[in-house]
């Protein structure tokens, strides 16, 4: 049984009764014949048109109403062969014609008179829906002429609205798109604009949102932690023979890549909406598209592919020297925290060996796989298919029937619906027109979405224009281009990394990092000079090691060791000491120094480790113990290839959007060093400001001052928030807190480096001097700085915690692995 999504058994929305006039500009073109006329018929058959409804077609040709209606009947007979003569006659009687040129303001004034005559006939100011079935080069003259005739102004109130339906393309790049929206904004309000991407009305695209957000089955695992890759493809066996001029000016990427494919991607990856409200859906689609990874020239060369089928240049109106792509494939990523690192492939083409329109979501191999063998890499997949039929297929694995414990792949097939009429575009455009009639913009694209799409597409198109990616050739109907483009972008992630690591140094930072990584599904081996910390974490799942040799033995072939030990001698001892890591690690293994090492020392260590063939990355880690537990800010230095090989490690440890790589050994520690210098200055300014507040003649509640500062003010920050917590914990006098401020070296390194570089650093240097002098001159300002250090870093800041000369050496030994 054929089921129509518009004419379903559950008719919750009856035919709209507000009188409406659909004005079609370009009424004699193919767009109207193929899409609008059949769609109006479809709505008429489903009783989803107002009882008073008229279509006014406008074009240059001279036609009478009778001739136009006869043409409409012929188009219906051709496009909808099964339509009854009675229905065709009734539908065609709704159409009337108005002759005029788009550049003639007088023609639009006459059009307004014609519309007013219909209003007079019905005794009401009817709704006016203008559909632009014209090339974009006519937009300027049409908008100006409509405005001059007052056709852009609605009657007002709940009745008599005026709306505009516009077909893509919306510009040819981002600048031209912005120009278009400036023009539209001059004459129309946002609520009047309905920009068409008909893929938004495809049932399978709508089904993706409900599949994800109306069920608990998959959405909780619908992110980078469970999904390995996303592939979106629109492959056709047909060519561009019937629209050579248009296609040669646009190409495959502009035709479907920067619009349809990105809308499909948005449906798969957008955040969950609070509801299905129009504004929120459009905002969420735009937000996810805005996180598409920006291109650079080298990435475009490596991760994009374009080709043209051999007989394309023989098509009418196609240049014999055409460089227009009829097939493309590219690999990209999103920078969104939920999706960063997941490769996304977008692919489309004409004259392919088979038609394939689908979105394939491939899940990672399960971490715990019952029945798997080492050579059996199994993966779940969810496939959303658009053609030849709308369906969702879930691929899963279960035990094969029989005595042997072997797995086999099975599928759940969910068939959405069968089209009531197997005619391209009819149901999509019927739904577009209907949603425009009821004022629902959810299935229409917004300006923000369009600009995000062009921002992604423009660098690629520019590079292709100068042949930075050579145009390949393929035989029509072959799979040559699929094979040729198979490796696009794969060099970046040669292999899924093993989620196992070791942490050396289980003090406050190291212990919390271990907890964080275990929560993220990593197997963590841990070592600490004092075994108590190791044994305590072993109760939480840590694999304990009693020596560095045991650390290395407990790791798989791909070894990653993260150092979280104090700067200086402790790092060298762990790396190069008598029982150091270099004695046990192999070539190709990776060491990450996540402590606060001086960048010059880091550069020297990197050179030394290179001689052993050991990869080395330096990582400035910010956020304190809390950040280590719940997601840190990471500044990574070293060789890019080493970073990309282990990037998953950093992404799992970091807070959302909290990882950046900087080329060069020591670069990460250098960025963190300056970060700490800036931190000195910021803390000093806060402390001095609150010391002034405390001395004021007003009886100020400093806790409330810190609270209001941290809600929308210019100085709102985590530091001010931590100060409030310190006031709540110790009182505004900070009585138990020492006014002597300790410093662990990073500020000194920053000032020293600035002097060497001859860069002014008065604020940071003054903050450092204050700390150095605070030993002899403790103050309330010093108490505030100390309190902040205690809140974010867990540093010892109470008065009885301050080390003396007598116990300084013991303190250093005690904190060796903190």
């Amino acid at each position: 049984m054929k089921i129509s999504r518009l004419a379903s058994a559950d008719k919750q929305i009856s035919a709209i009764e507000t009188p409406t006039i659909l004005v079609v500009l370009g009424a004699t073109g193919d767009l109207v014949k193929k899409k609008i006329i059949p769609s109006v018929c479809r709505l008429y058959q489903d009783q989803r048109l107002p009882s008073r409804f008229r279509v006014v077609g406008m074009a240059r040709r001279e036609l009478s109403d009778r001739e136009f209606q006869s043409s409409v009947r012929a188009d219906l007979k051709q496009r909808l062969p099964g339509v009854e003569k009675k229905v065709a006659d009734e539908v065609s009687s709704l159409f009337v014609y108005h002759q005029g040129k788009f550049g003639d303001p007088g023609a639009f004034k006459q059009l307004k008179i014609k519309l007013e005559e219909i209003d007079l006939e019905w005794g009401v100011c009817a709704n006016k829906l203008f559909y632009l079935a014209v090339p974009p080069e006519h937009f300027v003259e049409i908008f100006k002429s409509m405005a001059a005739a007052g056709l852009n102004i609605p009657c007002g109130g709940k009745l008599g609205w005026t709306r505009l339906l516009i077909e893509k393309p919306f510009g040819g790049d981002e600048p031209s798109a912005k120009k278009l929206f400036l023009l539209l904004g001059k004459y129309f309000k946002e609520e009047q604009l309905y920009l068409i991407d008909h893929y938004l009305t495809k049932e399978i695209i709508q089904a993706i949102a409900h599949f994800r957000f109306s069920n608990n089955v998959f959405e909780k695992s619908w992110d980078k932690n469970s999904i390995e890759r996303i592939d979106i493809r629109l492959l056709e066996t047909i060519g561009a023979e019937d629209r050579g001029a248009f296609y040669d000016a646009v190409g495959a990427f502009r035709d479907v890549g920067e619009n349809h494919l990105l809308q499909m991607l948005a449906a798969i990856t957008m955040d969950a909406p609070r509801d299905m409200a129009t504004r929120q859906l459009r905002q969420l689609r735009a937000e996810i598209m805005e996180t598409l990874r920006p291109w650079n020239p080298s990435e475009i060369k490596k991760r994009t592919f374009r080709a043209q089928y051999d007989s394309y240049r023989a098509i009418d109106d196609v240049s014999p020297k055409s460089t227009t792509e009829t097939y493309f494939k590219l690999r990209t990523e999103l920078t969104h925290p939920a999706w960063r690192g997941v490769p996304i492939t977008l692919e489309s083409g004409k004259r392919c060996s088979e038609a394939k329109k689908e979105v394939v979501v491939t899940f990672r191999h399960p971490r715990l796989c019952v029945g798997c063998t080492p050579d059996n890499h199994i993966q779940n997949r969810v496939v959303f298919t658009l053609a030849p039929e709308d369906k969702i297929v879930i691929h899963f694995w279960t035990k094969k029937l029989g005595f042997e414990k072997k797995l086999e792949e099975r599928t759940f097939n969910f068939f959405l619906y069968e089209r009531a009429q197997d005619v391209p575009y009819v149901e999509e455009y019927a739904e577009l027109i209907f949603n425009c009639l009821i004022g629902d913009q959810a299935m229409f694209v917004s300006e923000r979405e369009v600009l995000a799409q062009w921002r992604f597409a423009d660098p690629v198109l520019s590079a292709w224009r100068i042949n930075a990616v050579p145009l390949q050739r393929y035989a029509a109907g072959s799979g040559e281009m699929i094979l040729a483009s198979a490796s696009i972008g794969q060099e970046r992630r040669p292999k899924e990394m093993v989620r196992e690591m070791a942490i050396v140094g289980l003090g406050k930072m190291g212990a919390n990092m271990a907890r964080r990584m275990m929560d993220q599904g990593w197997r963590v081996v841990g070592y600490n000079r004092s075994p108590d910390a190791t044994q305590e974490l072993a109760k939480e799942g840590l694999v304990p090691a009693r020596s560095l040799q045991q650390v290395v033995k407990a790791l798989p072939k791909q070894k990653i060791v993260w150092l979280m030990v104090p700067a200086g001698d402790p790092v060298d001892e762990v790396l190069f000491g008598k029982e150091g890591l270099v004695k046990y690690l192999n070539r190709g293994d990776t060491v990450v120094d996540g402590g606060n090492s001086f960048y010059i020392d880091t550069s020297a260590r990197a050179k030394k480790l290179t001689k052993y063939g050991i990869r080395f990355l330096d990582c400035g880690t910010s956020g304190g113990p809390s950040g280590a537990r719940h997601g840190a800010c990471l500044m990574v230095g070293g060789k890019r290839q080493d970073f990309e090989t282990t990037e998953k490690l950093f992404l799992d440890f970091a807070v959302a959007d909290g990882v950046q790589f900087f080329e060069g050994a020591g670069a990460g520690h250098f960025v963190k060093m300056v970060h700490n210098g800036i931190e000195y200055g910021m803390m000093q300014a806060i402390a001095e400001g609150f010391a002034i507040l405390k001395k004021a003649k007003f009886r100020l509640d400093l806790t409330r001052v810190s609270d209001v500062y941290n809600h929308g003010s210019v100085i709102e920050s985590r530091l001010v928030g931590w100060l409030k917590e310190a006031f709540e914990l110790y009182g505004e006098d900070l009585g138990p807190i020492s006014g002597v401020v300790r410093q662990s070296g990073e500020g000194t390194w920053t000032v020293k480096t600035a002097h060497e570089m001859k860069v002014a650093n008065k604020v940071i240097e003054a903050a450092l001097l204050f700390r150095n002098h605070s030993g002899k001159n403790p103050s309330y300002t010093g108490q505030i700085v100390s309190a902040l250090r205690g809140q974010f870093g867990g540093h010892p800041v109470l008065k009885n915690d301050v080390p003396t000369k007598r116990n300084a050496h013991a303190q250093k030994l005690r904190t060796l692995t903190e």
Side-chain angles (χ1 to χ4, degrees):
M1 176 178 149
K2 293 186 177 182
I3 302 170
S4 165
R5 56 186 174 182
L6 284 170
S8 63
D10 183 17
K11 283 190 178 181
Q12 295 181 350
I13 304 177
S14 60
I16 300 170
E17 285 305 318
T18 308
T20 303
I21 305 170
L22 170 60
V23 182
V24 182
L25 304 179
T28 57
D30 285 344
L31 204 62
V32 177
K33 296 175 184 293
K34 293 179 179 179
K35 299 178 181 179
I36 302 306
I37 292 173
S39 299
V40 169
C41 181
R42 187 79 181 85
L43 290 168
Y44 180 82
Q45 289 175 304
D46 288 342
Q47 300 178 22
R48 291 183 182 269
L49 290 178
S51 56
R52 287 179 288 181
F53 181 78
R54 197 73 52 86
V55 181
V56 177
M58 178 177 172
R60 293 180 300 171
R61 289 171 54 187
E62 291 187 8
L63 291 173
S64 66
D65 287 348
R66 181 173 295 181
E67 289 171 326
F68 186 44
Q69 291 166 358
S70 176
S71 174
V72 169
R73 276 193 296 273
D75 293 332
L76 284 173
K77 185 176 180 180
Q78 181 182 1
R79 299 293 295 173
L80 303 175
V83 69
E84 297 177 3
K85 182 179 181 303
K86 179 176 180 293
V87 173
D89 288 342
E90 289 172 351
V91 171
S92 62
S93 69
L94 300 174
F95 286 73
V96 295
Y97 189 75
H98 176 71
Q99 189 273 331
K101 296 180 180 179
F102 301 138
D104 180 10
F108 283 86
K109 291 178 181 177
Q110 291 299 314
L111 174 62
K112 184 178 183 182
I113 293 172
K114 195 179 196 82
L115 300 179
E116 288 173 343
E117 288 173 352
I118 298 173
D119 287 347
L120 189 61
E121 175 190 338
W122 291 342
V124 64
C125 180
N127 296 331
K128 311 293 190 308
L129 173 55
F130 292 85
Y131 180 91
L132 272 63
V134 300
E137 55 263 30
H138 295 295
F139 284 176
V140 175
E141 57 189 8
I142 287 174
F143 297 154
K144 286 183 177 179
S145 296
M146 285 182 66
L151 290 171
N152 60 326
I153 302 173
C155 301
K158 294 183 178 179
L159 301 178
W161 48 251
T162 295
R163 292 171 183 158
L164 204 63
L165 267 170
I166 308 176
E167 288 276 359
K168 71 172 184 69
F170 309 114
D173 51 25
E174 187 181 6
S176 60
K178 287 181 176 178
K179 189 175 180 181
L180 170 64
F181 286 114
L182 282 173
L183 181 67
L184 284 168
K186 186 176 180 180
Y187 301 115
F188 301 94
K189 296 179 180 179
E190 183 184 2
E191 60 264 26
Q192 292 180 276
L193 302 176
Y194 289 72
L195 310 181
I196 297 173
D197 184 331
H198 71 271
Y199 264 66
L200 285 173
T201 62
K202 287 188 176 293
E203 191 67 18
I204 194 69
I205 305 304
Q206 298 178 55
I208 290 171
H210 291 285
F211 177 86
R212 290 182 56 195
F213 305 132
S214 301
N215 304 286
N216 280 330
V217 179
F218 285 102
E219 187 58 25
K220 290 185 178 180
S221 58
W222 203 263
D223 58 25
K224 66 182 181 183
N225 294 316
S226 299
I227 292 174
E228 181 177 284
R229 59 180 294 119
I230 298 170
D231 298 282
I232 305 175
R233 54 182 64 96
L234 296 176
L235 304 178
E236 300 176 294
T237 56
I238 62 173
E241 283 74 11
D242 60 343
R243 51 178 189 155
F246 167 80
Y247 201 87
D248 204 39
V250 175
F253 190 38
R254 274 198 182 99
D255 189 31
V256 301
E258 65 85 24
N259 39 68
H260 300 336
L261 290 179
L262 294 185
Q263 286 292 349
M264 294 163 73
L265 175 62
I268 287 289
T269 57
M270 63 187 274
D271 289 339
R274 291 187 302 274
D275 51 49
M276 299 303 282
T278 296
R279 184 171 293 277
Q280 192 183 29
L281 287 173
R282 284 153 59 108
Q283 176 183 326
L284 290 173
R285 292 198 305 256
E287 285 177 353
I288 196 67
M289 284 190 271
E290 287 169 347
T291 69
L292 282 159
R293 180 172 175 160
W295 294 102
N296 63 48
S298 64
E299 287 178 335
I300 293 173
K301 290 179 182 179
K302 292 178 182 177
R303 298 177 188 169
T304 73
F305 178 93
R306 62 186 183 125
Q308 183 189 94
Y309 64 84
D310 289 335
S311 57
Y312 172 74
R313 294 175 183 173
I315 296 174
D316 290 343
D317 300 319
V318 170
S319 167
K321 297 181 180 180
S322 173
T323 58
T324 297
E325 78 286 351
T326 58
Y327 170 87
F328 73 88
K329 183 176 181 180
L330 58 84
R331 183 161 297 180
T332 185
E333 293 179 5
L334 297 168
T335 60
H336 189 286
W339 296 103
R340 189 188 291 107
V342 176
I344 298 164
T345 301
L346 305 178
E347 179 182 24
S348 182
K350 298 282 189 183
R351 290 293 186 191
C352 299
S353 57
E354 62 176 327
K356 190 175 288 187
K357 299 184 179 183
E358 62 184 9
V359 181
V360 182
V361 179
T362 303
F363 286 75
R364 300 184 186 280
H365 178 80
R367 294 173 189 169
L368 175 63
C369 181
V370 178
C372 288
T373 58
D375 59 344
N376 186 18
H377 189 76
I378 70 169
Q379 294 178 284
N380 300 116
R381 286 182 295 144
V382 179
V383 182
F384 302 90
T385 303
L386 288 78
E389 54 192 8
D390 293 280
K391 64 180 180 179
I392 301 173
V393 180
I394 302 172
H395 295 251
F396 67 103
W397 294 80
T398 188
K399 181 184 174 295
K400 191 174 183 178
L401 185 66
F403 294 103
E404 295 183 7
K405 295 181 179 180
K406 291 186 176 181
L407 297 176
E408 65 175 347
E409 189 175 21
R410 304 291 294 274
T411 59
F412 282 126
N413 289 276
F414 178 60
F415 181 70
L416 288 184
Y417 83 111
E418 187 177 354
R419 295 174 180 274
Q421 295 169 319
D422 190 18
V423 181
Y425 305 116
V426 172
E427 295 198 12
E428 286 89 348
Y429 272 79
E431 191 160 358
L432 283 169
I433 294 171
F434 179 75
N435 280 291
C436 193
L437 292 176
I438 65 174
D440 185 356
Q441 291 180 305
M443 294 183 189
F444 299 87
V445 297
S446 62
E447 175 182 352
R448 187 175 168 187
E449 290 169 82
V450 171
L451 296 180
Q453 290 167 355
W454 281 123
R455 206 170 296 127
F456 173 73
D458 281 351
V460 176
L461 292 167
S462 297
W464 289 358
R465 200 175 297 120
I466 61 173
N467 206 36
V469 178
L471 182 71
Q472 307 296 322
R473 310 286 299 178
Y474 63 98
S478 73
E480 296 172 358
M481 67 291 189
I482 307 294
L483 294 173
S485 64
S487 62
I488 289 297
Q490 290 189 356
E491 73 287 343
R492 187 167 185 269
R493 298 182 189 280
K495 187 178 179 182
E496 175 74 7
M497 70 181 299
V498 178
R499 294 158 72 94
E500 297 188 40
M501 67 176 300
I503 300 176
V504 175
L506 299 174
K508 293 185 291 291
M509 292 290 290
N512 275 353
M513 180 187 181
R515 294 184 178 99
R516 164 79 175 179
M517 298 308 287
M518 288 189 289
D519 287 348
Q520 296 284 70
W522 286 69
R523 175 180 176 268
V524 180
V525 179
Y527 168 72
N528 198 65
R529 287 282 291 272
S530 57
D532 291 347
T534 310
Q535 294 307 316
E536 192 64 31
L537 283 166
K539 298 174 185 178
E540 302 177 38
L542 181 91
V543 178
R546 288 177 294 178
S547 67
L548 293 175
Q549 183 180 13
Q550 279 194 2
V551 166
V552 175
K553 281 186 176 181
L555 291 172
K557 186 177 181 180
Q558 181 186 353
K559 295 176 172 60
I560 302 174
V561 181
W562 185 292
L563 309 187
M564 199 63 93
V565 299
D569 294 342
V571 178
D572 289 321
E573 182 66 24
V574 169
L575 288 175
F576 309 113
K578 185 178 179 181
E579 293 296 316
L581 287 170
V582 294
K583 184 176 180 179
Y584 305 110
L585 291 175
N586 297 319
R587 298 183 70 85
D589 291 341
T590 301
V591 173
V592 182
D593 182 2
N596 282 327
S597 292
F598 188 33
Y599 78 98
I600 291 178
D601 296 339
T602 298
S603 299
R605 290 174 187 135
K607 290 179 182 178
K608 198 170 180 180
L609 287 170
T610 300
K611 296 177 182 178
Y612 292 91
I614 296 172
R615 298 174 177 178
F616 182 65
L617 294 164
D618 50 287
C619 179
T621 308
S622 181
S626 176
R629 183 67 183 88
H630 303 292
C633 171
L634 306 178
M635 306 147 223
V636 188
K639 293 181 180 178
R640 180 170 291 278
Q641 183 180 356
D642 296 343
F643 170 72
E644 291 179 348
T645 302
T646 56
E647 186 174 2
K648 179 64 178 169
L649 164 72
F650 298 101
L651 292 173
D652 282 354
F653 181 33
V655 70
D657 295 321
V659 180
Q660 288 292 344
F661 172 76
F662 305 95
E663 187 76 43
H669 280 154
F670 183 86
V671 173
K672 178 59 164 53
M673 176 191 75
V674 176
H675 160 282
N676 284 15
I678 294 170
E679 174 191 299
Y680 274 42
M682 292 174 66
M683 290 169 64
Q684 188 68 24
I686 291 170
E688 291 175 4
F690 273 83
I692 296 170
L693 289 166
K694 193 172 190 304
K695 285 260 186 176
K697 65 178 181 180
F698 307 103
R699 298 179 62 83
L700 298 174
D701 183 332
L702 298 188
T703 305
R704 289 172 55 219
V705 172
S706 61
D707 182 66
V708 76
Y709 278 177
N710 221 35
H711 285 85
S713 82
V714 174
I715 63 169
E716 179 180 3
S717 66
R718 297 178 74 186
L719 287 169
V720 174
W722 280 319
L723 180 57
K724 180 192 172 188
E725 292 175 7
F727 284 146
E728 291 173 339
L729 188 62
Y730 299 112
E732 292 181 7
D733 287 337
L734 299 175
I737 301 294
S738 172
V740 177
V741 188
R742 295 171 60 191
Q743 61 105 357
S744 50
E746 296 92 335
T748 302
W749 298 339
T750 307
V751 171
K752 177 177 180 292
T753 302
H755 286 172
E756 291 171 353
M757 301 170 84
K758 297 182 179 179
V759 175
N761 66 118
K762 292 182 179 180
V763 172
I764 298 173
E765 186 169 6
L768 175 64
L769 289 173
F770 174 86
R771 294 191 182 198
N772 291 339
H773 294 158
S774 67
K776 295 181 179 179
N777 301 287
S779 63
Y780 183 71
T781 301
Q783 286 178 286
I784 292 178
V785 176
S786 292
L788 288 171
R789 294 185 77 247
Q791 290 303 108
F792 72 73
H795 300 292
V797 295
L798 299 179
K799 289 178 179 177
N800 58 1
D801 285 332
V802 179
T804 63
K805 289 182 181 180
R806 187 164 48 88
N807 66 15
H809 182 65
Q811 175 73 15
K812 181 178 179 181
L813 291 176
R814 192 164 61 245
T815 61
L816 182 63
T817 54
E818 289 184 356

